[in-house]
Amino acid sequence: QVQLAESGGASVQAGGSLRLSCQAAGYTSSSNCLGWFRQAPGKEREGVAAIYTSSSEGLKYYADSVKGRFTISQDRGKKRVYLEMNNLKAEDSAMYYCAAEPGGSRCVYTPTDQWSTVFPYWGQGTQVTVSE
């Protein structure tokens, strides 16, 4: 059974930084798509970043709204994926979710706005609140 557990959400001031973590379990493949999504109240879920874990560095993809500010990374051996968020803005406030496609690679060629179709497994989310 695939399980994903996010942590690291908090309340911060604009301009600050946070690091989210996602612990994955329940699958054995070393090449997977793992992603971060967010959803603010009244808004649609948005794909933020994704990584294809085919190597220690992985292939990384970002939504335009976070490029240059957010960095996705992984600890492949521990099945952990991280989201480093810098220069946070009020509009980054949302529930952040980790998602996984074990053994899959669709995040590599799926447009960012269709990422929700890639991931069958989701965590419970961690709240990020950015105040000005």
Side-chain angles (χ1 to χ4, degrees):
Q1 182 180 359
V2 177
Q3 293 183 318
L4 302 167
E6 304 96 335
S7 61
S11 295
V12 297
Q13 290 192 325
S17 298
L18 277 177
R19 188 193 198 205
L20 305 184
S21 297
C22 174
Q23 179 67 61
Y27 59 86
T28 57
S29 172
S30 58
S31 295
N32 314 282
C33 276
L34 292 167
W36 285 98
F37 291 75
R38 65 186 181 187
Q39 189 168 21
K43 294 190 176 181
E44 291 188 357
R45 185 169 56 193
E46 174 190 20
V48 174
I51 185 168
Y52 179 53
T53 66
S54 57
S55 64
S56 58
E57 183 65 21
L59 299 176
K60 303 174 184 180
Y61 306 91
Y62 298 95
D64 288 343
S65 58
V66 304
K67 278 181 183 175
R69 298 190 299 123
F70 290 12
T71 302
I72 190 169
S73 62
Q74 62 167 336
D75 184 326
R76 202 165 177 232
K78 295 182 178 178
K79 284 192 172 65
R80 278 188 203 149
V81 63
Y82 305 100
L83 186 67
E84 185 78 31
M85 305 186 294
N86 298 313
N87 191 22
L88 282 162
K89 305 175 182 179
E91 52 262 42
D92 295 318
S93 296
M95 186 70 79
Y96 281 72
Y97 299 91
C98 178
E101 185 197 19
S105 61
R106 286 184 291 167
C107 63
V108 175
Y109 54 84
T110 300
T112 309
D113 61 353
Q114 298 176 33
W115 275 352
S116 290
T117 65
V118 168
F119 299 94
Y121 299 101
W122 296 80
Q124 295 297 309
T126 186
Q127 180 68 41
V128 172
T129 303
V130 184
S131 58
E132 296 187 333

